[in-house]
Amino acid sequence: KAGVTQTPRYLIKTRGQQVTLSCSPISGHRSVSWYQQTPGQGLQFLFEYFSETQRNKGNFPGRFSGRQFSNSRSEMNVSTLELGDSALYLCASALGINEKLFFGSGTQLSVL
Amino acid sequence: AQKITQTQPGMFVQEKEAVTLDCTYDTSDPSYGLFWYKQPSSGEMIFLIYQGSYDQQNATEGRYSLNFQKARKSANLVISASQLGDSAMYFCAMRGVYGGATNKLIFGTGTLLAVQP
């Protein structure tokens, strides 16, 4: 059974650009959540989706957005990139709410 | 507010020995879940073990066990018979239900474990 798949693995962008990251959950999982990991702030929650609905959102500016599709795949978008957006972005999937979460390998975003 | 505290920034252990990684938590939720994840240098976050707050027994998964002491609000990870491949960053995380069921996790700052041959 395939795990959580995140693409791309690495991404280099310049300030002001926008970026879209993709996450394919484990087959049958309907919950997807996103986290940002930086050396300074550690792991921080971005958003959570279940059955195409955003259930929770972390304390991030409106430049960070996401969505979930009917096949449970999820994308997150960051517009007007800033240097501080450089981070490892991790996606996690779960069968449902209050289930175990399994993470992907992450997308390493570098903003120059 | 929920909080996870990992007081050991780094630890060394000899191969084949057992090691305990500390985790304390703070929450007012009556129901919550505690997780441990391993993150090697490659970056992926690997699920190790889960403990629900109402579980009567401590969780075990192979060489991993969770020493859950609810009154002390601690959820320490015990790795038995350490292997070189156990060298990684370890994160403790908590999920609460305050305000509604959720899969949102709060993470600690992590413990970097180095296994020495």
Side-chain angles (χ1 to χ4, degrees):
Chain A
K1 197 173 186 180
V4 179
T5 304
Q6 291 189 246
T7 56
R9 184 70 179 91
Y10 300 95
L11 210 46
I12 300 175
K13 294 285 187 180
T14 56
R15 278 182 301 173
Q17 287 187 310
Q18 77 165 23
V19 67
T20 299
L21 313 182
S22 178
C23 172
S24 293
I26 293 170
S27 178
H29 285 197
R30 295 168 62 192
S31 167
V32 172
S33 48
W34 289 87
Y35 294 80
Q36 181 197 64
Q37 185 177 23
T38 59
Q41 299 297 318
L43 282 147
Q44 293 185 289
F45 170 78
L46 279 158
F47 358 79
E48 172 191 5
Y49 290 89
F50 181 76
S51 293
E52 302 179 66
T53 301
Q54 187 179 89
R55 292 178 53 84
N56 262 306
K57 189 176 193 302
N59 189 24
F60 280 83
R63 300 184 296 106
F64 290 80
S65 62
R67 59 179 175 170
Q68 186 181 32
F69 302 97
S70 58
N71 61 357
S72 295
R73 190 178 71 86
S74 177
E75 289 181 347
M76 65 164 283
N77 185 78
V78 188
S79 62
T80 320
L81 284 165
E82 300 178 0
L83 296 178
D85 297 334
S86 295
L88 179 65
Y89 291 87
L90 290 159
C91 166
S93 80
L95 268 173
I97 306 302
N98 282 338
E99 297 283 348
K100 295 175 186 177
L101 279 79
F102 298 90
F103 283 80
S105 298
T107 293
Q108 183 67 54
L109 172 65
S110 297
V111 182
L112 306 177
Chain B
Q2 296 178 332
K3 187 177 180 181
I4 291 281
T5 303
Q6 293 181 256
T7 57
Q8 305 154 313
M11 288 190 71
F12 288 97
V13 65
Q14 290 294 123
E15 195 178 6
K16 299 180 185 176
E17 290 186 350
V19 62
T20 298
L21 306 184
D22 295 340
C23 172
T24 58
Y25 60 91
D26 189 18
T27 182
S28 56
D29 279 350
S31 176
Y32 49 90
L34 296 156
F35 297 76
W36 276 93
Y37 289 91
K38 170 185 176 183
Q39 188 177 44
S41 55
S42 58
E44 63 182 310
M45 194 77 80
I46 302 167
F47 169 82
L48 295 178
I49 199 165
Y50 169 80
Q51 178 87 40
S53 59
Y54 290 120
D55 293 342
Q56 294 296 315
Q57 294 190 325
N58 287 346
T60 59
E61 295 271 359
R63 294 186 299 112
Y64 305 105
S65 60
L66 200 152
N67 184 1
F68 181 47
Q69 297 189 39
K70 196 170 182 177
R72 290 186 168 187
K73 294 190 174 180
S74 75
N76 298 339
L77 176 70
V78 181
I79 305 175
S80 63
S82 297
Q83 302 172 356
L84 294 178
D86 293 335
S87 295
M89 183 72 86
Y90 288 80
F91 289 97
C92 179
M94 177 172 64
R95 173 182 61 205
V97 296
Y98 187 80
T102 178
N103 279 339
K104 173 184 175 181
L105 295 181
I106 305 296
F107 283 88
T109 51
T111 295
L112 183 60
L113 178 66
V115 181
Q116 297 177 316

